[in-house]
Amino acid sequence: MTAFGGIETGGSKWECTIGTDPDDIRAAETIRTTTPRETIDRTIAFFEREGPVDAVGIGSFGPIDRKPSSPTWGHITTTPKPGWAHTDVGQEIRRRLSVPVAFDTDVNAAALGEHRWGAAQGLDTFCYITVGTGIGGGGLARGRLLHGLLHPEFGHMRIPHDLERDPFEGVCPYHGDCWEGLASGRAIEARWGKPAEELDDEPGVWELEARYLALGLVCVMCVLSPEKIVVGGGVARRDSLLPLVRREVLSLMNGYLDSVVVRDGITDYITAPALGPRAGVLGAIALAEAM
Amino acid sequence: MTAFGGIETGGSKWECTIGTDPDDIRAAETIRTTTPRETIDRTIAFFEREGPVDAVGIGSFGPIDRKPSSPTWGHITTTPKPGWAHTDVGQEIRRRLSVPVAFDTDVNAAALGEHRWGAAQGLDTFCYITVGTGIGGGGLARGRLLHGLLHPEFGHMRIPHDLERDPFEGVCPYHGDCWEGLASGRAIEARWGKPAEELDDEPGVWELEARYLALGLVCVMCVLSPEKIVVGGGVARRDSLLPLVRREVLSLMNGYLDSVVVRDGITDYITAPALGPRAGVLGAIALAEAM
């Protein structure tokens, strides 16, 4: 019987699963991210115990090297996460489990999951954006996962920053007030002094957040012209946030995009992932399936 | 003998040509853009006189409707250009010349031209940006022209605008200080009181322009991860500008993109079109050829 392995590697935990689709998950385990050695060993142990699998898909935090021809294919590259820069993940798992491995970003995996079983079924061009500790984005353009020179890095776009309204300088170690630097969970916590989940529905907090998210989404819309934008991640899970973001996007666009999909269907156009927080790990299974 | 027709429609002129590639142009005519009726009649007359052609490619100013299934396929849609909103171009030319017609944006056509014969040969994912009267962008993602819900509208991204350094409010009728509103030829002329080509190499003018162009390019790089960025258009033709833009892009990225292509090869990475101002009309021939 066919079985695929899916791994979503994150900065705080790795989600490992075996199955073929959302209704056929045969085993799952959450592993805390510690050192590369220990984390990968535990991942291998899970698949040795619960497998076998025919192929493994990995959706990874990044930046990553996913060029098939590269000698460092399968590596996490310049991450600021201590101990994890230039770490081989894909090649080691492929070698130790002796199965084909698909390796992509966590957000491209989530996009593929939403395309296969979720909110983006049947669409050719759309994107998946996660707003959590950081901000990342992936997606499909005309049916193919977004890859180029490297992979998308939505979080590092520069967006307008009104210093009078928000003198906060941003948290990105490379860029200060890029999109992630202003609007990620880390930015919210640094600006307001407590984590996003402990901040009440004070208009000041969430209207500013919605404004920043909308400014980034407008850039994505202008570059990629997505048929839909799926917004996942811990910060975006707050029910009151997406309605504010939609309103800001419409206000910023000011009627320019002559599409009934955006104008009259904004609630479907900017939407939460149908697979919820499982989009990434299920997408990793879809990556394995698509090999 | 095979012959393709190429048309680049612009707000001030239409370029019409017949041939198969840059070294085989058999006829060409520049037609001033007046009313839709007169402009299209002259275009038809050119092809009737100089043809026949097997197919016609049209790279058009926009926004346009290029959805093959749409009843208004081939139309220029919400353009602010007087007399041209909701004008059928593609269907009328197809009907009157009785040949297949490919219809896309001027920048997607130029991108295809650079891919076929110019600076982007062999690349899967890259973009073509024009900085002229307005700002537009197109390109390929993994080998396919960028199309989605509509088509890219790079010029309407929002970028940081330092009002202390540049109190100019921008010229975009929809968004004020979007990318096009701040950095297009129209914006330069409105800000400095004379057209770009009459402005000397004063650092104030061109360093500000380079800064704005770089801010937009960084967004494009973060969303699409292009293998190359080709920058055409009348404003970008000034020799001193692209070196300033490259320096600003590297400064804004601050080493984040771990790619030798960007870090050590920025002169090739951000480059002028190899086909020069002919990229669009030659790309229109490539559109016809690719049908």
Side-chain angles (χ1 to χ4, degrees):
Chain A
M1 193 167 65
T2 303
F4 299 115
I7 305 172
E8 183 184 18
T9 83
S12 57
K13 59 186 167 62
W14 287 30
E15 299 288 354
C16 299
T17 192
I18 296 175
T20 58
D21 69 52
D23 299 321
D24 171 38
I25 297 302
R26 302 175 202 164
E29 186 170 322
T30 301
I31 292 167
R32 199 161 58 85
T33 311
T34 56
T35 63
R37 167 90 5 257
E38 187 176 48
T39 313
I40 293 172
D41 280 351
R42 286 187 184 160
T43 299
I44 299 292
F46 166 79
F47 284 105
E48 284 176 343
R49 189 174 69 243
E50 304 289 347
V53 293
D54 299 283
V56 168
I58 304 174
S60 181
F61 72 101
I64 64 167
D65 182 347
R66 50 142 309 281
K67 280 256 189 237
S69 61
S70 165
T72 51
W73 171 89
H75 286 222
I76 291 169
T77 60
T78 53
T79 176
K81 187 174 169 60
W84 282 85
H86 306 289
T87 294
D88 172 28
V89 172
Q91 292 189 33
E92 180 166 355
I93 288 174
R94 182 168 67 182
R95 185 173 49 73
R96 289 175 65 181
L97 293 178
S98 298
V99 294
V101 167
F103 187 72
D104 214 314
T105 60
D106 44 7
V107 276
N108 262 350
L112 196 62
E114 289 292 319
H115 186 253
R116 185 74 176 80
W117 300 296
Q121 292 177 59
L123 300 182
D124 273 350
T125 301
F126 71 94
C127 52
Y128 179 95
I129 293 171
T130 182
V131 187
T133 312
I135 294 183
L140 269 69
R142 299 192 68 193
R144 301 180 185 194
L145 285 168
L146 283 174
H147 299 145
L149 179 66
L150 301 167
H151 50 73
E153 286 284 357
F154 287 19
H156 296 278
M157 294 189 294
R158 301 300 174 87
I159 58 166
H161 177 192
D162 180 345
L163 281 159
E164 274 189 34
R165 179 175 174 189
D166 175 31
F168 177 68
E169 63 191 7
V171 295
C172 175
Y174 289 91
H175 312 122
D177 63 352
C178 62
W179 200 23
E180 174 170 297
L182 287 175
S184 64
R186 218 165 29 233
I188 293 171
E189 180 164 357
R191 183 189 290 106
W192 302 103
K194 48 184 174 177
E197 59 272 23
E198 294 175 19
L199 285 159
D200 293 337
D201 275 347
E202 304 159 43
V205 174
W206 297 105
E207 291 193 351
L208 185 68
E209 176 68 10
R211 177 78 181 173
Y212 286 141
L213 292 181
L215 283 163
L217 294 188
V218 163
C219 286
V220 173
M221 289 166 73
C222 288
V223 175
L224 200 62
S225 196
E227 295 166 290
K228 187 179 286 243
I229 298 175
V230 184
V231 187
V235 171
R237 224 167 285 150
R238 173 177 295 260
D239 284 341
S240 60
L241 184 56
L242 281 193
L244 295 175
V245 171
R246 294 180 189 119
R247 192 185 67 192
E248 287 289 330
V249 165
L250 287 178
S251 159
L252 286 164
M253 278 297 183
N254 193 24
Y256 182 72
L257 284 186
D258 184 34
S259 168
V260 70
V261 172
V262 175
R263 203 173 48 231
D264 301 337
I266 192 81
T267 309
D268 283 328
Y269 186 72
I270 298 174
T271 186
L275 303 176
R278 296 202 301 162
V281 71
L282 290 169
I285 286 179
L287 276 175
E289 179 193 49
M291 284 191 80
Chain B
M1 193 167 64
T2 302
F4 300 115
I7 305 171
E8 184 183 19
T9 83
S12 58
K13 60 188 167 61
W14 287 30
E15 298 288 354
C16 299
T17 191
I18 295 174
T20 58
D21 66 53
D23 300 321
D24 171 39
I25 296 302
R26 303 174 201 164
E29 186 169 322
T30 302
I31 291 166
R32 199 160 59 82
T33 311
T34 56
T35 62
R37 166 91 4 255
E38 188 178 46
T39 313
I40 293 172
D41 280 351
R42 286 187 185 160
T43 299
I44 298 292
F46 165 80
F47 284 105
E48 285 177 342
R49 189 174 68 244
E50 305 289 344
V53 292
D54 299 283
V56 168
I58 304 173
S60 181
F61 73 100
I64 65 166
D65 182 346
R66 49 141 309 281
K67 281 255 189 239
S69 61
S70 165
T72 52
W73 171 89
H75 287 220
I76 293 169
T77 60
T78 53
T79 177
K81 186 171 170 64
W84 282 85
H86 306 287
T87 293
D88 171 30
V89 172
Q91 292 189 33
E92 181 166 356
I93 289 174
R94 183 168 68 183
R95 184 172 50 74
R96 289 175 65 180
L97 293 179
S98 298
V99 294
V101 168
F103 187 72
D104 213 314
T105 60
D106 45 6
V107 277
N108 263 350
L112 196 64
E114 289 291 318
H115 186 253
R116 184 74 176 80
W117 300 296
Q121 292 177 58
L123 300 183
D124 273 350
T125 301
F126 71 94
C127 53
Y128 179 96
I129 292 171
T130 182
V131 187
T133 313
I135 294 183
L140 268 67
R142 300 192 67 193
R144 300 179 185 196
L145 285 168
L146 282 175
H147 299 145
L149 179 66
L150 301 166
H151 50 72
E153 285 283 357
F154 288 18
H156 297 277
M157 293 189 294
R158 300 299 172 87
I159 58 166
H161 177 194
D162 180 345
L163 281 159
E164 273 189 34
R165 179 175 176 190
D166 174 31
F168 178 67
E169 63 191 10
V171 296
C172 176
Y174 288 90
H175 312 123
D177 63 353
C178 61
W179 200 23
E180 174 169 298
L182 288 175
S184 64
R186 217 164 31 230
I188 293 171
E189 180 162 358
R191 181 189 291 107
W192 303 104
K194 48 186 173 174
E197 59 272 22
E198 292 175 21
L199 284 159
D200 293 335
D201 274 345
E202 304 158 42
V205 174
W206 297 105
E207 291 193 351
L208 186 68
E209 177 68 9
R211 177 79 181 172
Y212 286 141
L213 292 180
L215 284 163
L217 295 189
V218 163
C219 287
V220 173
M221 291 167 73
C222 288
V223 176
L224 201 61
S225 197
E227 295 165 291
K228 188 178 283 247
I229 298 175
V230 183
V231 187
V235 171
R237 223 168 286 150
R238 171 177 295 259
D239 285 340
S240 60
L241 184 57
L242 280 194
L244 296 175
V245 172
R246 294 181 189 116
R247 192 185 68 191
E248 287 289 330
V249 165
L250 287 178
S251 159
L252 285 164
M253 278 296 184
N254 195 25
Y256 183 73
L257 283 187
D258 184 35
S259 169
V260 71
V261 173
V262 175
R263 203 173 50 231
D264 301 338
I266 191 81
T267 309
D268 284 329
Y269 186 72
I270 298 174
T271 187
L275 303 175
R278 296 202 303 160
V281 71
L282 290 170
I285 286 179
L287 276 175
E289 179 193 48
M291 283 191 81

